[in-house]
Amino acid sequence: MARTANKEDLVWFDVNHYDIDELHVSQITNAIAIRKNIVELIKSKKPLIPSLKRIAKFYSKEKSMVDRVHFSAFNERELAIFGIMHEIFNMKNPFLSFILPESSDAVVSKTENSLFSTKTVTPISVNTVFSLFNHLKEQSEIDYNSFKNKSLEADSGRKWFLDADLTSRNWGLAWYNQRYDESVNSVINEFCDNNLFLSIDLNSSDDEIIKNISLLLPKLRDQLSRQQDEDSIDRRFGVVSFLDIKKYSLIAVLDLIIFNYLHDYLNVSDSVIERAIYENNKENYRDSYMIKKKDRPTALRLIEDDFLLKLHHLINNDKLFESDPVFSELLKRYNKKYGI
């Protein structure tokens, strides 16, 4: 059973090191992206992750041949993440700027990197296109067998008379002429489930693309008889979502959660987080109930793909973020704009 973490366990943590007032927006977003990479590595290789003490030794002059051999099992990117963990949890330096190297793993990993995707948006792979081709070919052959010896009339008014001598190749031409102006989504509806094939002009602005997709979505759902999941309807997202990072000390909360991920035998509870962050900060005090209901889930949401994509769009399109201001300047701009 995990024991409650105490001050000795959290000797690395100093809330004063988490002041983001003079950090640029890009530094804050970089810090969030780094935490996402740390969590992903921990979850994917949990049994193999070395202890923070061992990581500290590896980055010191005391590392032995055993340490070198142990860490040789990790690739360049993973070693870079360990270096970041060392700075955060051993050196009390939570906001160093790091650039992680691209993964140099197997071809599969490179393919996944080249097809950046989220839970709801995934670029179409060559394999999907190939599978689609085979599916359409099979569908046309099914239709060929079903409609043999019947006539089909296309919108153009032409008639295709099918008899026993008509080859499937000729049938494919007839099938195409009948359905050439249909949406491919309606033809492959069953094959691709809830996915869509769309052509997007990337020369258009993000706002224009998003606006047009938003206009199309209700019609596409109606065409394919799909309903939007009410639970997936997103809450309002704006500058306040970014300002909340300071208001609720979210990066500090996130680091305490990550520290707990690394130490199964400890319980960094909401009460422990309360004491660690607010023991000497009564002005913006948050109790354990507030942390449980608001701060902890909001901190974890920071490293979700959905949040990061919305944050990227906000920063690139809201004038308050122009010229990569420091956080205190961003807050001044926000207060001035809304008369606060």
Side-chain angles (χ1 to χ4, degrees), residues 196-224:
L196 293 173
F197 282 63
L198 296 177
S199 175
I200 297 176
D201 179 6
L202 292 179
N203 288 322
S204 304
S205 67
D206 288 0
D207 286 336
E208 188 176 358
I209 292 172
I210 292 170
K211 178 182 177 181
N212 281 275
I213 290 178
S214 298
L215 290 171
L216 278 174
L217 281 175
K219 297 179 180 180
L220 290 168
R221 283 199 175 95
D222 183 60
Q223 178 190 28
L224 303 178

Coordinates of all heavy atoms in Angstrom, one line a residue, residues 196-224:
L196 N -13.9 10.4 -42.5 CA -14.3 11.1 -43.7 C -13.0 11.3 -44.6 O -11.9 11.4 -44.1 CB -14.8 12.5 -43.4 CG -16.2 12.5 -42.7 CD1 -16.5 14.0 -42.3 CD2 -17.3 12.0 -43.6
F197 N -13.2 11.4 -45.9 CA -12.2 11.9 -46.8 C -12.5 13.3 -47.3 O -13.6 13.5 -47.9 CB -12.1 10.9 -48.0 CG -11.5 9.6 -47.8 CD1 -12.0 8.7 -46.9 CD2 -10.3 9.3 -48.5 CE1 -11.3 7.5 -46.6 CE2 -9.7 8.1 -48.2 CZ -10.2 7.2 -47.3
L198 N -11.7 14.2 -46.9 CA -11.9 15.6 -47.3 C -10.7 16.2 -48.0 O -9.6 15.8 -47.7 CB -12.2 16.5 -46.1 CG -13.4 16.2 -45.3 CD1 -13.5 17.1 -44.0 CD2 -14.7 16.4 -46.1
S199 N -10.9 17.1 -49.0 CA -9.9 17.8 -49.6 C -9.8 19.2 -49.0 O -10.8 19.9 -49.0 CB -10.1 17.9 -51.1 OG -9.1 18.6 -51.8
I200 N -8.6 19.6 -48.5 CA -8.5 20.9 -47.8 C -7.4 21.7 -48.5 O -6.3 21.2 -48.7 CB -8.1 20.6 -46.3 CG1 -9.3 19.9 -45.6 CG2 -7.8 22.0 -45.6 CD1 -9.0 19.6 -44.2
D201 N -7.7 22.9 -48.8 CA -6.7 23.8 -49.4 C -5.9 24.5 -48.3 O -6.4 25.4 -47.6 CB -7.5 24.9 -50.2 CG -6.5 25.9 -50.9 OD1 -5.3 25.7 -50.8 OD2 -7.0 26.9 -51.5
L202 N -4.7 24.0 -48.1 CA -3.9 24.5 -47.0 C -3.3 25.9 -47.2 O -2.7 26.5 -46.4 CB -2.7 23.5 -46.8 CG -3.1 22.1 -46.2 CD1 -1.9 21.3 -46.1 CD2 -3.8 22.3 -44.9
N203 N -3.6 26.4 -48.4 CA -3.2 27.8 -48.7 C -4.2 28.8 -48.0 O -3.9 30.0 -47.9 CB -3.1 28.1 -50.2 CG -1.9 27.5 -50.8 OD1 -0.9 27.4 -50.2 ND2 -2.1 27.0 -52.0
S204 N -5.3 28.3 -47.6 CA -6.3 29.1 -47.0 C -5.9 29.3 -45.5 O -5.1 28.5 -45.0 CB -7.7 28.4 -47.0 OG -8.1 28.2 -48.4
S205 N -6.5 30.3 -44.9 CA -6.2 30.6 -43.5 C -6.8 29.5 -42.6 O -7.8 28.8 -42.9 CB -6.7 31.9 -43.1 OG -8.1 31.9 -43.1
D206 N -6.2 29.3 -41.4 CA -6.8 28.4 -40.4 C -8.3 28.7 -40.1 O -9.1 27.8 -40.0 CB -6.0 28.4 -39.1 CG -4.6 27.8 -39.2 OD1 -4.3 27.3 -40.4 OD2 -3.9 27.8 -38.2
D207 N -8.6 30.0 -39.9 CA -9.9 30.4 -39.6 C -10.9 30.0 -40.7 O -12.0 29.5 -40.4 CB -10.0 31.9 -39.4 CG -9.4 32.3 -38.0 OD1 -9.4 31.4 -37.1 OD2 -9.0 33.5 -37.9
E208 N -10.5 30.2 -42.0 CA -11.3 29.9 -43.1 C -11.6 28.4 -43.2 O -12.7 27.9 -43.5 CB -10.7 30.4 -44.4 CG -11.7 30.3 -45.6 CD -11.0 30.9 -46.8 OE1 -9.9 31.5 -46.8 OE2 -11.7 30.8 -47.9
I209 N -10.5 27.6 -43.0 CA -10.6 26.1 -43.1 C -11.6 25.6 -42.0 O -12.5 24.8 -42.2 CB -9.2 25.5 -42.9 CG1 -8.4 25.8 -44.2 CG2 -9.4 23.9 -42.7 CD1 -6.9 25.3 -44.0
I210 N -11.3 26.1 -40.7 CA -12.2 25.7 -39.6 C -13.6 26.1 -39.8 O -14.5 25.3 -39.5 CB -11.6 26.2 -38.3 CG1 -10.2 25.6 -38.0 CG2 -12.6 26.0 -37.1 CD1 -9.5 26.3 -36.9
K211 N -13.8 27.3 -40.3 CA -15.2 27.8 -40.5 C -15.9 26.9 -41.5 O -17.1 26.5 -41.3 CB -15.1 29.2 -41.0 CG -16.5 29.8 -41.4 CD -16.4 31.2 -41.9 CE -17.8 31.8 -42.3 NZ -17.7 33.1 -42.8
N212 N -15.2 26.5 -42.6 CA -15.9 25.8 -43.7 C -16.1 24.3 -43.3 O -17.1 23.7 -43.6 CB -15.0 25.8 -45.0 CG -15.2 27.1 -45.7 OD1 -16.1 27.2 -46.5 ND2 -14.3 28.0 -45.5
I213 N -15.2 23.8 -42.5 CA -15.4 22.4 -42.0 C -16.6 22.4 -41.0 O -17.4 21.5 -41.0 CB -14.1 21.9 -41.3 CG1 -13.1 21.6 -42.3 CG2 -14.4 20.6 -40.5 CD1 -11.7 21.1 -41.8
S214 N -16.7 23.5 -40.2 CA -17.8 23.6 -39.2 C -19.1 23.7 -40.0 O -20.1 23.1 -39.5 CB -17.6 24.8 -38.4 OG -16.4 24.7 -37.6
L215 N -19.2 24.3 -41.1 CA -20.4 24.4 -41.9 C -20.7 23.1 -42.5 O -21.9 22.7 -42.7 CB -20.2 25.5 -43.0 CG -20.1 26.9 -42.6 CD1 -19.8 27.8 -43.7 CD2 -21.5 27.4 -41.9
L216 N -19.7 22.3 -42.9 CA -20.0 21.0 -43.6 C -20.4 19.9 -42.6 O -21.1 19.0 -43.0 CB -18.7 20.6 -44.3 CG -18.5 21.2 -45.7 CD1 -17.1 20.7 -46.2 CD2 -19.6 20.7 -46.7
L217 N -19.8 20.0 -41.4 CA -20.0 18.8 -40.4 C -21.5 18.4 -40.2 O -21.8 17.2 -40.3 CB -19.4 19.2 -39.1 CG -17.8 19.0 -39.1 CD1 -17.3 19.4 -37.7 CD2 -17.5 17.5 -39.3
P218 N -22.4 19.4 -40.0 CA -23.8 19.0 -39.8 C -24.4 18.3 -41.0 O -25.1 17.3 -40.9 CB -24.5 20.3 -39.5 CG -23.5 21.2 -39.0 CD -22.2 20.8 -39.8
K219 N -24.0 18.8 -42.2 CA -24.5 18.1 -43.4 C -23.9 16.7 -43.6 O -24.6 15.8 -44.1 CB -24.2 19.0 -44.6 CG -24.9 20.4 -44.6 CD -24.6 21.3 -45.7 CE -25.3 22.6 -45.6 NZ -25.0 23.5 -46.8
L220 N -22.6 16.6 -43.3 CA -22.0 15.3 -43.5 C -22.6 14.3 -42.5 O -22.8 13.1 -42.8 CB -20.5 15.5 -43.3 CG -19.7 16.2 -44.4 CD1 -18.3 16.5 -43.9 CD2 -19.7 15.4 -45.6
R221 N -22.8 14.7 -41.2 CA -23.4 13.8 -40.3 C -24.8 13.4 -40.7 O -25.2 12.3 -40.5 CB -23.5 14.5 -38.9 CG -22.1 14.6 -38.2 CD -22.3 14.8 -36.7 NE -21.1 14.8 -36.0 CZ -20.3 15.8 -35.7 NH1 -20.7 17.0 -36.0 NH2 -19.2 15.7 -35.0
D222 N -25.6 14.4 -41.3 CA -26.9 14.1 -41.7 C -26.8 13.1 -42.9 O -27.6 12.1 -42.9 CB -27.6 15.3 -42.2 CG -29.0 15.1 -42.6 OD1 -29.8 14.6 -41.8 OD2 -29.4 15.4 -43.8
Q223 N -25.9 13.3 -43.8 CA -25.8 12.4 -45.0 C -25.4 11.0 -44.6 O -25.9 10.0 -45.1 CB -24.7 13.0 -45.9 CG -24.4 12.1 -47.1 CD -23.2 12.6 -47.9 OE1 -22.3 13.1 -47.3 NE2 -23.2 12.3 -49.2
L224 N -24.5 10.9 -43.6 CA -24.1 9.5 -43.1 C -24.8 9.0 -41.9 O -24.4 8.0 -41.3 CB -22.6 9.6 -42.8 CG -21.7 10.1 -44.0 CD1 -20.2 10.2 -43.6 CD2 -21.8 9.2 -45.2

